[in-house]
C-alpha cells in the first residue's frame, strides 16, 4: 500500500497527559509502533482510548507530552498529519442518506484524490470490502458490519500511511468482526500501519503488538506472547453446568493469592502454588466440575494485572 | 475549491433526499407571509359604535349618518338604557357609544352648548385613540356646518390639510410585506444553516470531516452555499407574492433591493453559523436560532412598533438587530424609491464581517 517508509517508526508517543477538568483521561502514555504493524490498544470503556486516538489525529491537544506521527506533530502540523492518516471514529460517522458510492466519493473529494486514482482505488476497495453489490444502497440501510467496512474504505480512499481506528468492531456481530480483522491483516501485510483500539479482549490476540490501557495509563505492552508471559501465575479453567455454585464454593475458601473470575460460561481461577491447586481441585470435584490447566490469554493477564494494581493501591 | 464543492454537493443531496426539510424551507416562509400578511392588517375599518339617542332629532340623525358614511365606523344599533351600554361593552358589541342628550336640538336652537357624551372601550389603546380622533373630527365638522347655517358662509380660521406621502392610502401591505421579508429571511437562514451544522455535530460526521485535510472555514462555506440558494429563492418568492397577492408598491429598483437583500442574507447565514458553532444538538440550534431571530426581529426592529417609542434599553437592543437596518432600506426602496443608504449599508457590512469572522474563529478543527 505504501511504497517506502524512510523512518523505522510509524508513531512515537512520549509521556502524554490530558485532563478534562478534574478528570485525568491520560496519565503518561508512551507508545512506539513500527510501520506495517497492527498495534492494538486494549482497555475497558473509560480507559482513555478515544482521547488518545483524538490526540493522534489532531482533534485534541495534549496537556503534556508529544507525538511524532510519520515524522509530523499533530498539534503543529495538523494538516500534514491529516493528509497521511485515515481516522475512523468510534461512532458510525458517515451519511446514512447517501449511498455507499456517494459516501466514498465525498471522502475522495475531501482528500483531493484525483479522478484517475479514484477510478483505480474504488473498484479495489469495493472488491475487498465486498460492498460492490451494495454500491447504490443508502449507508443507513447497511448492516452493522457493512457500515464498518464502508467507514473503513472511506478512510482508505486516499491511500493513507497510517490508519487510526477507534473501536471499529464495536457492536458488530462476531462473523463480521472476524472478516473485518482479516481485512486489517491484509492491509498491514501490504505495509499499512494500523493503530486500533478495542474493548474486545479476543481481538488482542490478532494484533502484532498491543498495550493494555487502564485509567489513562498503559499497564503493559508488547506482543500478545510477551504480554501473556508477564502473567507469571498459573491458571485453571473450570467447567460446570452450575458455575455460580462452584464460584460460591471457591469464594468460601477464602484462600489468599487466589482470584476467581468469570470467563464466558466458564471460570478462570488464578493461583500461585501446588497447595492452592490442591484446595481448588478438591472444591471443584466436590461440585462435579471439570478442571483443566490452560495458558493464560490476554484477558486473564489484564484482569490479573488490574488485581495486582488494586492490591498495590491498598 | 474542490473540497468546498464536494461539501456543497453533499449538502444538496441531503436536502434533496429529505423532501420534508425542503418543503419546510419553502412552505414556511410562504405560510408566514400569507398568515401575517392578512393578520397584521394595520388598517382599521368597520369599527362598531353604538348610539344612545335620547333626542331623536334631525341633528342627532345627521351626526350618525356622517359618522358611518366613510365605512370606517358602522352603526352597531340603538341603545335604550344605561344597562345596555355596560352589557354591550362587555360583550364587545361596540367599541364606543355616542350619547345624544335629551333636548339637544332645542338647546342648540336656544344658543346653549349641549354636550354629546362619547364613551370608548380603552382596553385596546391604539384603536380607542383612533376612534376618538375620528369621532371628534366628525363632531367638529358638524359644528362648522351648524355655525354656517347661522352665520352664513364662514371658514374656520385655521385648517389643516393632510396628505400622506409615500404611502398615500396608508395601505397596510406596503408597510407589512417589507417587514415580513426581513423577518422571514433571517429566520429561515439562521434556522437552516444552524441545524445543518449541528446535525453533523450530533451524528459525529463533523468529527470525521474534521480529520480530513479540509480547512474548517471551507467546511462552513461549503455547507452554507446551498442554503444561500434556498434563501435567495425564499426571498424572491416572498417579494413576488407581496407584489402579486398584496399589491405592494415598488418605488425603486428591484435590482438594488436584491443587492441589499443579498447582504442581509449573508448576515442571516453568518448568524446561523454562529448559533451552530455554539449549539451541540439540532434541538438547541433550532431553538436558539428561532428565539434569537424571530422575536427580536418582529418586536424590536421597528417592524411593528416604532423604535423611537421604545424604552431606552430596548432602543439599544434595536440597534444591534440587523433587521432594523435592512427594514430601513427595504421600506425606503419600496416606498420612497431612495436607493443610497450609506449608514445602513456600512453597519450591515460591519455586522456581516463581524459575525462571519467570529463564527469562523469559533469553528475550529479541534474538539476541545
Amino acid at each position: 500500500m505504501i511504497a517506502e517508509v524512510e523512518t523505522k517508526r510509524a508513531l512515537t508517543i512520549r509521556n502524554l497527559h490530558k485532563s478534562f477538568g478534574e478528570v485525568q483521561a491520560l496519565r503518561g502514555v508512551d507508545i512506539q509502533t513500527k510501520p506495517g504493524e497492527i498495534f492494538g490498544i486494549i482497555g475497558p470503556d473509560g480507559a482513555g482510548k478515544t482521547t488518545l486516538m483524538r490526540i493522534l489525529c489532531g482533534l485534541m491537544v495534549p496537556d503534556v507530552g508529544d507525538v511524532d506521527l510519520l515524522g509530523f506533530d499533530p498539534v503543529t502540523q495538523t494538516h500534514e498529519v491529516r493528509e497521511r492518516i485515515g481516522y475512523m471514529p468510534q461512532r458510525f460517522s458517515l451519511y446514512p442518506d447517501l449511498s455507499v458510492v456517494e459516501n466514498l466519493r465525498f471522502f475522495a473529494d475531501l482528500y483531493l484524490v484525483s479522478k484517475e486514482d479514484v477510478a483505480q482505488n474504488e473498484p479495489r476497495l469495493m472488491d475487498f470490502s465486498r460492498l460492490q453489490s451494495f454500491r447504490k444502497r443508502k449507508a443507513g440501510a447497511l448492516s452493522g458490519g457493512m457500515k464498518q467496512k464502508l467507514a473503513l474504505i472511506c478512510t482508505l480512499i486516499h491511500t493513507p500511511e497510517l490508519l487510526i481506528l477507534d473501536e471499529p468492531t464495536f457492536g458488530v456481530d462476531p462473523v463480521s468482526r472476524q472478516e473485518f480483522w482479516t481485512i486489517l491483516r491484509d492491509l498491514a501485510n501490504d505495509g499499512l500501519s494500523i493503530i486500533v483500539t478495542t474493548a474486545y479482549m479476543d481481538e488482542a490476540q490478532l494484533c502484532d503488538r498491543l498495550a493494555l490501557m487502564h485509567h489513562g495509563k498503559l499497564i503493559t505492552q508488547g506482543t500478545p506472547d510477551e504480554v501473556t508471559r508477564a502473567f507469571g501465575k498459573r491458571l485453571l479453567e473450570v467447567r460446570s453446568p452450575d458455575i455460580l455454585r462452584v464460584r460460591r464454593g471457591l469464594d468460601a475458601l477464602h484462600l489468599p493469592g487466589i482470584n476467581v473470575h468469570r470467563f464466558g460460561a466458564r471460570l478462570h481461577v488464578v493461583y500461585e502454588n501446588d497447595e492452592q491447586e490442591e484446595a481448588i481441585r478438591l472444591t471443584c470435584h466436590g461440585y462435579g466440575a471439570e478442571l483443566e490447566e490452560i495458558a493464560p490469554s490476554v484477558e486473564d493477564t489484564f484482569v490479573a494485572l488490574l488485581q495486582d494494581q488494586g492490591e498495590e493501591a491498598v | 475549491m474542490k473540497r468546498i464543492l464536494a461539501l456543497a454537493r453533499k449538502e444538496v443531496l441531503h436536502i434533496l433526499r429529505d423532501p420534508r426539510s425542503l418543503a419546510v424551507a419553502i412552505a414556511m416562509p410562504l405560510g408566514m407571509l400569507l398568515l401575517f400578511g392578512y393578520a397584521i392588517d394595520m388598517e382599521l375599518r368597520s369599527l362598531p359604535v353604538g348610539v344612545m339617542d335620547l333626542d331623536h332629532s334631525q341633528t342627532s340623525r345627521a351626526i350618525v349618518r356622517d359618522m358611518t358614511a366613510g365605512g370606517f365606523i358602522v352603526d352597531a344599533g340603538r341603545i335604550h338604557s344605561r344597562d345596555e351600554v355596560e352589557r354591550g361593552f362587555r360583550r364587545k358589541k361596540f367599541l364606543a357609544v355616542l350619547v345624544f342628550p335629551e333636548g339637544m336640538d332645542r338647546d342648540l336652537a336656544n344658543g346653549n352648548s349641549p354636550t354629546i357624551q362619547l364613551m370608548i372601550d380603552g382596553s385596546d389603546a391604539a384603536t380607542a385613540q383612533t376612534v376618538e380622533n375620528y369621532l371628534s373630527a366628525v363632531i367638529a365638522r358638524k359644528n362648522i356646518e351648524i355655525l354656517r347655517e347661522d352665520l352664513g358662509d364662514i371658514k374656520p380660521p385655521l385648517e389643516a390639510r393632510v396628505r400622506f406621502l409615500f404611502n398615500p392610502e396608508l395601505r397596510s401591505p406596503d408597510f407589512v410585506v417589507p417587514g415580513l421579508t426581513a423577518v422571514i429571511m433571517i429566520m429561515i437562514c439562521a434556522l437552516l444553516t444552524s441545524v445543518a451544522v449541528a446535525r453533523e455535530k450530533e451524528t459525529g460526521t463533523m468529527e470525521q470531516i474534521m480529520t480530513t485535510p479540509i480547512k474548517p472555514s471551507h467546511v462552513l462555506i461549503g455547507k452554507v452555499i446551498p442554503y444561500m440558494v434556498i434563501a435567495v429563492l425564499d426571498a424572491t418568492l416572498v417579494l413576488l407574492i407581496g407584489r402579486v397577492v398584496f399589491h405592494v408598491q415598488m418605488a425603486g429598483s428591484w435590482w438594488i433591493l436584491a443587492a441589499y437583500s443579498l447582504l442581509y442574507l449573508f448576515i442571516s447565514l453568518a448568524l446561523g453559523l454562529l448559533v451552530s458553532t455554539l449549539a451541540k444538538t439540532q434541538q438547541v440550534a433550532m431553538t436558539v436560532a428561532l428565539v434569537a431571530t424571530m422575536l427580536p426581529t418582529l418586536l424590536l426592529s421597528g417592524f411593528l412598533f416604532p423604535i423611537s417609542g421604545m424604552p431606552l434599553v430596548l432602543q439599544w437592543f434595536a440597534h444591534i438587530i440587523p433587521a432594523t437596518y435592512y427594514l430601513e432600506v427595504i421600506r425606503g426602496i419600496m416606498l420612497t424609491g431612495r436607493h443610497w443608504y450609506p449608514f445602513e449599508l456600512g453597519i450591515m457590512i460591519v455586522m456581516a464581517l463581524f459575525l462571519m469572522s467570529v463564527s469562523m474563529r469559533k469553528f475550529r478543527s479541534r474538539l476541545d
Side-chain angles (χ1 to χ4, degrees), chain A residues 18 54 58-59 61 75 78-79 82 87 89 91 93-95 97 102 106-107 109-113, chain B residues 2-3 6 9-10 13-14 17 200 202-205 207-214 365-368:
Chain A
K18 176 76 183 174
R54 284 177 168 171
L59 285 172
V61 178
V75 177
T78 315
H79 193 79
R82 287 180 180 171
Y87 169 60
R91 276 193 301 167
S93 299
L94 300 174
Y95 301 96
D97 52 336
E102 281 165 346
F106 171 61
F107 282 97
D109 285 344
L110 287 191
Y111 283 108
L112 301 182
V113 182
Chain B
K2 194 179 167 193
R3 289 177 173 139
R9 190 162 49 232
K10 173 197 72 92
L13 284 177
H14 287 320
R17 297 274 158 87
E200 296 224 23
E202 203 176 312
T203 56
T205 47
E207 183 177 342
Q208 180 82 70
I209 294 181
M210 271 158 41
T211 54
T212 71
I214 189 170
S365 69
R366 303 209 197 276
L367 291 172
D368 59 352

Side-chain angles (χ1 to χ4, degrees), chain B residues 271 314-325 347 351 355:
Chain B
L271 192 70
L314 290 186
Q315 285 196 29
W316 293 338
F317 264 113
H319 287 295
I320 57 165
I321 295 174
T324 304
Y325 303 95
I347 295 219
M351 279 181 166
L355 286 174

Side-chain angles (χ1 to χ4, degrees), chain B residues 76-94:
Chain B
R78 293 289 158 283
I79 297 161
H80 302 289
S81 68
R82 292 273 158 188
D83 287 350
E84 271 182 76
V85 173
E86 174 90 20
R87 257 203 318 275
F89 269 124
R90 287 200 188 288
R91 292 186 189 158
K92 302 273 178 201
K93 249 181 89 184
F94 36 71

Side-chain angles (χ1 to χ4, degrees), chain A residues 72-203:
Chain A
F72 299 98
D73 181 350
V75 177
T76 56
Q77 296 168 300
T78 315
H79 193 79
E80 286 81 354
V81 165
R82 287 180 180 171
E83 280 182 329
R84 288 165 177 80
I85 60 165
Y87 169 60
M88 192 172 149
Q90 199 169 11
R91 276 193 301 167
F92 176 68
S93 299
L94 300 174
Y95 301 96
D97 52 336
L98 299 192
S99 71
V100 168
V101 69
E102 281 165 346
N103 268 299
L104 188 62
R105 293 207 176 138
F106 171 61
F107 282 97
D109 285 344
L110 287 191
Y111 283 108
L112 301 182
V113 182
S114 70
K115 274 209 165 56
E116 301 78 60
D117 287 351
V118 173
Q120 201 187 342
N121 288 346
E122 195 185 292
R124 191 173 50 80
L125 293 172
M126 288 287 185
D127 200 41
F128 85 66
S129 61
R130 288 195 260 153
L131 286 168
Q132 188 62 44
S133 44
F134 302 100
R135 285 169 57 89
K136 292 267 152 62
R137 189 181 285 200
K138 302 268 161 66
L142 295 174
S143 74
M146 287 198 280
K147 277 182 186 167
Q148 295 310 94
K149 284 193 291 181
L150 174 58
L152 179 68
I153 63 171
C154 284
T155 66
L156 290 171
I157 187 73
H158 61 298
T159 46
E161 296 167 39
L162 185 110
L163 213 50
I164 297 170
L165 310 172
D166 194 6
E167 299 206 22
T169 53
F170 181 75
V172 175
D173 67 274
V175 177
S176 301
R177 272 170 56 192
Q178 199 163 21
E179 189 193 352
F180 193 89
W181 274 91
T182 311
I183 295 175
L184 290 190
R185 177 48 67 197
D186 288 345
L187 291 170
N189 288 343
D190 286 344
L192 183 67
S193 311
I194 299 173
I195 313 288
V196 55
T197 71
T198 181
Y200 295 119
M201 297 290 173
D202 54 329
E203 292 180 348

